[in-house]
């Protein structure tokens, strides 16, 4: 223990230096964005200031002299950092206003919106997990937590949900205001649009952890002592929440800076919208300050998540007294994922023979019929054909990105001191600014949305892997195995990965619709596929103006996304490793010779091993 205490300050200092290096690299790349994109920053700023002025050499020279662009990017970056140290983030290149008050105001709006969305998300989590908590606390067969409803809710595009809420509740019914940001009433609809899908994902993650908590030895003892079911449920939540807190922190940052589409629809002056406009206009002082605010928020939420996990788990994490994370064996019904898969395959199979580009101006916005089962769009194109052909690119890209995110998340999650600060830094860059950065670095192309989403999609899986690995390493049988001579490689292959991989793979499947939604959001904002591509995000973007006149134009791709979400979430419940079935025949804590307890006690001091 003394060795650990002596080296702990050195490790904290190394982690802090790594975090500062990542922050410096991110700010530096953003500062070099206009020059890396091989565009004239003066021309971009001129277009953002006024679209009517001619880009004459004299005008561009005046802008360069005004902004100091002739001095080069490093001089500009140094001046910005020097002013930031004195509380001055400079002035906007477009509007000429002070950057720090503008970013502070936008951050306050986004934090308020995040708080409302988080309240909606937690209420959704409670609704999804109430039944499993109730049955598990009474030692009954745990009911499945509404797989279809939560899957469909998790697969709903936030921008589509925002459009429906704004048009139906805000405009047609007039119950709540739909545009602007002037008081508490204006935050209800955007909070619902952001919180419902996020709560569905968090609810599925929590429901995935509950069976393991109720399979631990404390439950029979608690029931035998007559502890009320409500107290048992609270203890189960306390056991499960630490593994969920890192992802909750990531959701907090995502709801603050990644709600670009929702802020655009509801005309909310939030930080996501501000950074998007700054990135499009290459307004570097605003973009750098906004990203820096998100990085600071990510660091704070990550620290609070770690502190909360330590408080909830208590000394069991330090003393190696946690139960294994192995999930109890239970046959999952296969009818639901089979049905969703067949329905999605039927849509694709029926639509592939049709032409997705055939125009028929005499059949514009036709409702569903025998000739056009999904109706037609504003150009008379068959929506069934466009949804089916768009599935090939949308699903293929989403699967490829999910696989890459899973691999990167698991590998980096095994190295928490390396990946922790990296997760906090990368998570502060939402997919939309990431797409703009990648476009600036590598140029445009149809692969830019996939790279942008893949660059940030691994963070949640890495955080989940690190949290589960940390708890699994505190299980008594891991300590005993280490004391009996098991090396890091053996522990990783035979003990840690079999316990950690199944829930992380299930998490990746639950995230699959979210990745498809991120790709769709980039298409919705015009940063993804371009017309006449039938990509699902582009379909939603093209048909969103007709949602009131012809709702089927939006419901068709949205239903396909919902089917994908239901298929992924229901199939996630059956993920098992073959090795785990063989190991479940033995107790979770294996038996050892008589001398093993002494060896276990000697091995209580944390050893340098895998994932340290």
């Amino acid at each position: 223990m003394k060795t650990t205490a002596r080296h702990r300050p050195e490790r904290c200092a190394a982690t802090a230096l790594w975090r500062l290096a990542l922050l410096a690299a991110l700010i530096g790349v953003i500062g070099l964005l206009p020059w890396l994109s091989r565009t004239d920053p003066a021309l971009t700023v001129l277009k953002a200031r006024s679209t009517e002025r001619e880009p004459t050499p004299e005008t561009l020279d005046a802008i360069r002299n005004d902004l100091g662009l002739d001095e080069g990017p490093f001089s500009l970056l140094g001046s910005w950092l020097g002013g930031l140290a004195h509380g001055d983030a400079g002035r906007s290149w477009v509007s000429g206003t002070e950057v720090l008050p503008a970013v502070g105001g936008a951050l306050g709006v986004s934090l308020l919106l995040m708080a409302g969305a988080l309240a909606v998300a937690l209420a959704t989590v409670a609704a999804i997990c109430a039944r499993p908590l109730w049955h598990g606390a009474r030692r009954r067969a745990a009911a499945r937590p509404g797989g279809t409803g939560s899957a469909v809710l998790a697969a709903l595009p936030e921008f589509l949900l925002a459009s429906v809420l704004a048009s139906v509740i805000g405009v047609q019914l007039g119950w709540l205001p739909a545009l602007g940001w002037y008081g508490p009433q204006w935050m209800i609809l955007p909070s619902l649009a952001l919180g419902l899908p996020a709560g569905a994902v968090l609810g599925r993650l929590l429901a995935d952890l509950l069976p393991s908590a109720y399979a631990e030895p404390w439950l029979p003892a608690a029931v035998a002592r007559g502890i009320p079911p409500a107290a048992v449920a609270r203890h189960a939540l306390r056991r499960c929440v630490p593994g969920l807190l890192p992802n909750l922190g990531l959701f907090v940052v995502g709801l603050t800076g990644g709600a670009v589409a929702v802020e655009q629809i509801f005309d909310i002056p939030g930080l996501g919208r501000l950074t998007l406009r700054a990135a499009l206009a290459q307004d570097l002082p605003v973009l750098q300050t906004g990203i820096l605010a998100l990085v600071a928020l990510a660091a704070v939420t990550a620290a609070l998540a770690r502190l909360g996990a330590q408080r909830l788990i208590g000394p069991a994490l330090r003393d190696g007294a946690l139960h294994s994370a192995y999930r109890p064996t239970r046959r999952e019904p296969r009818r639901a994922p089979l049905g969703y898969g067949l329905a999605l395959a039927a849509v694709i199979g029926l639509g592939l023979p049709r032409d997705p580009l055939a125009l028929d101006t005499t059949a514009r916005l036709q409702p569903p019929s025998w000739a056009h089962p999904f109706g037609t769009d504003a150009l008379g194109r068959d929506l069934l054909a466009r949804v089916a052909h768009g599935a090939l690119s949308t699903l293929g890209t989403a699967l490829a990105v999910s696989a890459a995110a899973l691999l990167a998340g698991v590998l980096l999650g095994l190295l928490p001191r390396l990946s922790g600060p990296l997760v906090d830094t990368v998570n502060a860059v939402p997919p939309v600014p990431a797409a703009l950065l990648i476009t600036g670095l590598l140029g445009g192309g149809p692969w830019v949305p996939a790279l942008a989403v893949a660059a940030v999609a691994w963070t949640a899986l890495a955080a989940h892997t690190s949290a589960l690995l940390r708890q699994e390493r505190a299980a008594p049988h891991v300590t005993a195995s280490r004391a009996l001579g098991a090396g890091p490689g053996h522990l990783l292959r035979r003990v840690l990965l079999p316990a950690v991989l199944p829930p992380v793979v299930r998490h990746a499947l639950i995230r699959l619709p979210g990745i498809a939604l991120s790709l769709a959001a980039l298409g919705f904002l015009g940063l993804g596929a371009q017309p006449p591509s039938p990509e699902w995000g582009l379909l939603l973007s093209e048909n969103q103006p007709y949602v009131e006149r012809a709702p089927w134009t939006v419901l068709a791709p949205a239903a396909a996304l919902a089917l994908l979400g239901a298929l992924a979430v229901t199939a996630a419940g059956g993920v098992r490793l073959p090795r785990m079935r063989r190991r479940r025949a033995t107790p979770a804590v294996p038996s050892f010779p008589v001398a093993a307890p002494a060896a276990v006690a000697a091995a209580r001091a944390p050893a340098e091993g895998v994932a340290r």
Side-chain angles (χ1 to χ4, degrees):
M1 295 295 292
K2 293 181 180 179
T3 303
T4 303
R6 183 168 63 248
H7 289 287
R8 187 173 299 166
E10 299 177 2
R11 292 172 179 170
C12 293
T15 302
L17 289 175
W18 173 231
R19 191 183 298 275
L20 288 176
L22 291 173
L23 178 60
L26 177 62
I27 296 298
V29 169
I30 295 175
L32 295 174
L33 179 60
W35 290 268
L36 292 174
S37 60
R38 296 170 296 277
T39 59
D40 188 356
L43 180 60
T44 306
V45 172
L46 176 62
K47 291 181 179 179
R49 288 180 175 179
S50 175
T51 58
E52 299 178 355
R53 294 182 62 183
E54 293 292 334
T56 61
E58 294 78 11
T59 304
L60 296 178
D61 289 338
I63 293 177
R64 293 190 189 97
N65 293 330
D66 181 37
L67 302 179
L69 295 175
D70 294 332
E71 300 176 2
F74 297 103
S75 177
L76 287 174
L77 184 60
S79 301
W80 178 78
L81 291 175
L84 194 64
H86 298 87
D88 181 15
R91 290 182 173 273
S92 169
W93 287 0
V94 176
S95 63
T97 58
E98 292 285 343
V99 170
L100 208 55
V103 172
L107 179 61
V109 171
S110 292
L111 289 177
L112 186 59
L113 177 60
M114 176 269 293
L118 197 58
V120 174
L122 294 179
T124 307
V125 171
I128 291 174
C129 297
R131 193 177 179 190
L133 274 173
W134 177 270
H135 285 272
R138 287 158 177 77
R139 301 193 67 185
R140 300 174 184 171
R144 296 188 301 277
T148 301
S150 61
V152 171
L153 193 58
L156 279 178
E158 296 171 349
F159 53 85
L160 175 61
L161 188 58
S163 299
V164 172
L165 291 175
S167 61
V168 176
I169 297 180
V171 177
Q172 294 183 0
L173 299 178
W175 291 348
L176 292 169
L179 292 177
W181 188 261
Y182 305 103
Q185 292 182 340
W186 277 264
M187 67 178 293
I188 296 178
L189 293 182
S191 297
L192 289 173
L194 289 171
L196 288 176
V201 175
L202 290 173
R204 294 299 311 190
L205 293 178
L206 179 58
D208 187 65
L209 297 174
L210 285 175
S212 295
Y214 282 131
E216 293 182 358
W218 61 266
L219 180 60
V223 175
R225 293 184 60 185
I227 295 179
V232 173
R234 287 196 300 269
H235 188 80
L237 282 177
R238 181 173 181 174
R239 180 67 180 89
C240 295
V241 166
L244 196 65
L245 280 179
N247 277 281
L248 183 60
L250 298 183
F251 268 101
V252 167
V253 181
L255 291 175
T256 305
V260 180
V262 174
E263 291 178 355
Q264 289 277 75
I265 292 172
F266 287 102
D267 195 23
I268 298 174
L271 188 59
R273 185 182 180 190
L274 182 67
T275 54
L276 173 63
R277 291 183 175 181
L280 293 174
Q282 294 188 356
D283 193 352
L284 293 187
V286 176
L287 181 60
Q288 288 171 322
T289 309
I291 295 297
L292 185 63
L294 289 176
V295 171
L297 178 64
V300 171
T301 53
L304 292 177
R306 287 191 294 267
L307 180 62
Q310 293 175 359
R311 293 286 185 180
L312 289 173
I313 295 177
L317 184 65
R318 180 195 62 213
D319 297 338
L322 286 179
H323 192 267
S324 174
Y326 283 118
R327 185 176 179 179
T329 302
R330 182 167 67 98
R331 288 186 61 86
E332 297 285 343
R334 300 181 179 180
R335 294 189 299 271
L338 182 61
Y340 298 135
L342 289 177
L344 191 59
V347 170
I348 297 174
L350 292 175
L352 282 180
R354 298 168 178 257
D355 186 0
L357 302 179
L359 301 178
D360 186 3
T361 55
T362 62
R364 296 176 62 253
L365 299 178
Q366 292 294 316
S369 61
W370 286 109
H372 304 286
F374 284 1
T376 61
D377 63 5
L379 298 178
R381 294 173 295 192
D382 185 72
L383 282 174
L384 176 59
R386 294 185 63 76
V387 169
H389 284 265
L392 299 179
S393 59
T394 303
L395 297 183
T397 305
L399 287 173
V401 172
S402 298
L406 175 62
L407 180 61
V410 171
L411 292 179
L412 291 173
L414 297 177
L415 305 170
R417 288 192 178 88
L418 172 67
S419 63
L422 188 60
V423 166
D424 299 340
T425 305
V426 172
N427 187 61
V429 185
V432 173
L436 295 173
L437 287 175
I438 292 175
T439 302
L441 291 173
L442 304 176
W447 39 266
V448 168
L451 284 180
V453 176
V456 299
W458 61 271
T459 55
L461 301 177
H464 196 189
T465 301
S466 297
L468 294 180
L469 188 67
R470 186 185 184 195
Q471 296 187 43
E472 184 65 20
R473 292 183 70 252
H477 71 277
V478 176
T479 307
S481 299
R482 188 183 297 114
L484 292 175
H490 177 84
L491 288 176
L492 181 65
R493 294 191 308 270
R494 299 299 182 90
V495 180
L496 298 177
L497 283 181
V500 171
L501 274 182
V504 175
V505 173
R506 291 193 292 268
H507 185 184
L509 283 174
I510 293 174
R511 290 273 180 175
L512 176 62
I515 289 177
L517 292 182
S518 298
L519 295 170
L522 292 176
F524 178 80
L525 294 172
L527 300 174
Q530 299 299 318
S533 171
E535 194 269 335
W536 287 355
L538 187 58
L539 291 183
L540 291 170
S541 175
E542 290 176 342
N543 297 311
Q544 193 267 340
Y546 310 100
V547 65
E548 297 183 16
R549 294 175 50 198
W552 56 86
T553 58
V554 173
L555 289 178
L561 282 170
L563 275 178
L564 173 63
L567 173 61
V569 172
T570 53
V575 172
R576 298 287 188 275
L577 289 184
R579 186 180 299 277
M580 286 190 65
R581 295 198 189 95
R582 295 196 296 270
R583 294 177 65 91
R584 290 306 298 174
T586 60
V589 180
S591 58
F592 294 94
V594 176
V600 172
R604 289 294 188 188
E608 292 295 331
V610 64
R612 276 286 187 184

